[in-house]
Amino acid sequence: MNVKRPIGVFDSGYGGLTVLKEIVQKLPDYDYLYLGDNARAPYGPRSFETVYRYTWQCVEWFFKQGCPLVILACNTASAKALRSIQQRDLPSKYPDKRVLGVIRPTTELIGNFSKTKSVGILATNGTVISQSYPIEIAHHFPEIKVYQEACPMWVPLVENNEYDGEGADYFIKKNIANLLKYSSEIDTVLLACTHYPLLKNKLKNFLPESIQLISQGEIVADGTKNYLLRHPEMEKALSKNGQRDFYTTDSAKDFDSHALVFYGKEIASVHVDLDE
Ligand code: DGL
């Protein structure tokens, strides 16, 4: 019998599927277990304490399923929960497990994209308030100026299948205009929320062509690949049967009907009740 020790991939909802899609493409042999906490999404407007509590509950669920490594494919969870998990919870409770986020691999590279040294960040309220991007970018690229705009309506638009509708135009136009007002120097805009790649086509209509739009999927996939190269003990601990399993804390039927646009493939998910 094959022992399953998959890579866990977590998001508040569907957004992390855009990251999983890229990771699976780069690293197809591993087993993956995805969990969307759809019943409690969006995380963006929630407090630090609540995002931490929800995220840690999900991370412990992954550990119980046998995942040695969990990737928080959610900027809000990475911004508000990852530090406590890495610095406090893992060393005392799960010293052999690892949890990674999406902010670190992104901020390690983002400065290389900008010629004008001015980067715009589009993210949830929670990610913006945490200041994680300006702090982390300053660490790797002190010369880069960072401008942030919170887009609180974008995740609800995407989660409710309205990413292609006219309603989305209003909010996208407004948030892009706000961001670009901060500086005419911005030449790179980062989609710092894993839900936002679904809005890419629309975003292009409101951004000048000279501005490049960066999403995180590929960056995080490369980061994961490098991490496994640098940590052979973790690489060996992972099972490699090419299996993908999907779980949601809300309706599996809803999850499956939404997932195609995020993941690019039909999936069959399973409902999980974390309190059981
Ligand atoms: N995909 C999550 C992120 O990257 C969405 C957050 C939310 O649930 O509001 O931040």
Side-chain angles (χ1 to χ4, degrees):
M1 207 184 80
N2 285 334
V3 181
K4 269 211 212 167
R5 287 183 307 270
I7 298 177
V9 178
F10 169 71
D11 184 41
S12 59
Y14 306 108
L17 290 170
T18 63
V19 175
L20 177 64
K21 184 175 147 193
E22 302 292 339
I23 299 179
V24 160
Q25 209 165 312
K26 285 234 152 81
L27 301 165
D29 297 341
Y30 299 95
D31 296 332
Y32 294 90
L33 184 59
Y34 184 91
L35 174 65
D37 191 9
N38 298 77
R40 301 186 290 199
Y43 278 16
R46 298 191 190 277
S47 68
F48 269 83
E49 177 46 42
T50 303
V51 172
Y52 163 73
R53 192 158 44 84
Y54 288 175
T55 306
W56 179 239
Q57 191 184 17
C58 293
V59 166
E60 286 206 293
W61 178 84
F62 279 111
F63 292 164
K64 277 191 206 117
Q65 311 309 306
C67 298
L69 172 68
V70 176
I71 297 169
L72 304 183
C74 174
N75 286 272
T76 311
S78 301
K80 289 187 159 183
L82 185 60
R83 184 188 290 258
S84 305
I85 291 174
Q86 286 179 332
Q87 295 184 355
R88 190 188 58 204
D89 301 329
L90 294 185
S92 59
K93 294 185 186 128
Y94 301 94
D96 298 331
K97 308 273 189 189
R98 292 292 174 268
V99 179
L100 306 175
V102 287
I103 297 178
R104 180 85 184 268
T106 310
T107 54
E108 277 173 0
L109 288 180
I110 193 70
N112 298 331
F113 291 95
S114 176
K115 289 200 176 68
T116 59
K117 312 264 174 262
S118 302
V119 172
I121 306 286
L122 298 167
T124 66
N125 223 11
T127 300
V128 168
I129 287 171
S130 77
Q131 293 293 330
S132 299
Y133 274 94
I135 293 168
E136 288 277 323
I137 293 174
H139 187 68
H140 300 290
F141 299 96
E143 72 285 9
I144 296 276
K145 290 198 194 79
V146 181
Y147 304 92
Q148 303 193 89
E149 169 72 2
C151 312
M153 290 304 291
W154 291 16
V155 169
L157 282 167
V158 171
E159 289 269 325
N160 289 293
N161 252 344
E162 287 290 340
Y163 56 90
D164 230 3
E166 278 171 33
D169 287 345
Y170 173 81
F171 292 104
I172 290 174
K173 194 174 166 191
K174 182 175 147 188
N175 291 127
I176 294 281
N178 287 348
L179 178 70
L180 298 184
K181 254 187 248 156
Y182 291 129
S183 168
S184 56
E185 294 282 291
I186 296 172
D187 70 346
T188 303
V189 169
L190 172 70
L191 300 181
C193 170
T194 54
H195 280 68
Y196 295 176
L198 264 83
L199 298 165
K200 226 172 172 176
N201 286 340
K202 278 216 178 277
L203 280 158
K204 284 185 183 145
N205 298 333
F206 299 106
L207 272 177
E209 259 178 47
S210 55
I211 294 183
Q212 55 180 334
L213 197 55
I214 311 286
S215 41
Q216 291 174 301
E218 230 180 295
I219 294 175
V220 175
D222 283 334
T224 308
K225 197 171 173 181
N226 289 338
Y227 177 85
L228 294 178
L229 283 173
R230 283 185 281 112
H231 296 88
E233 73 296 344
M234 175 56 74
E235 201 284 327
K236 279 193 204 85
L238 298 167
S239 55
K240 301 173 193 75
N241 309 300
Q243 288 196 22
R244 289 88 176 91
D245 292 297
F246 299 86
Y247 286 81
T248 173
T249 56
D250 209 342
S251 147
K253 196 162 155 257
D254 284 353
F255 192 86
D256 297 352
S257 66
H258 279 71
L260 181 64
V261 287
F262 290 86
Y263 191 57
K265 269 189 198 156
E266 298 280 357
I267 63 160
S269 65
V270 176
H271 168 79
V272 62
D273 190 343
L274 295 176
D275 294 321
E276 267 174 7

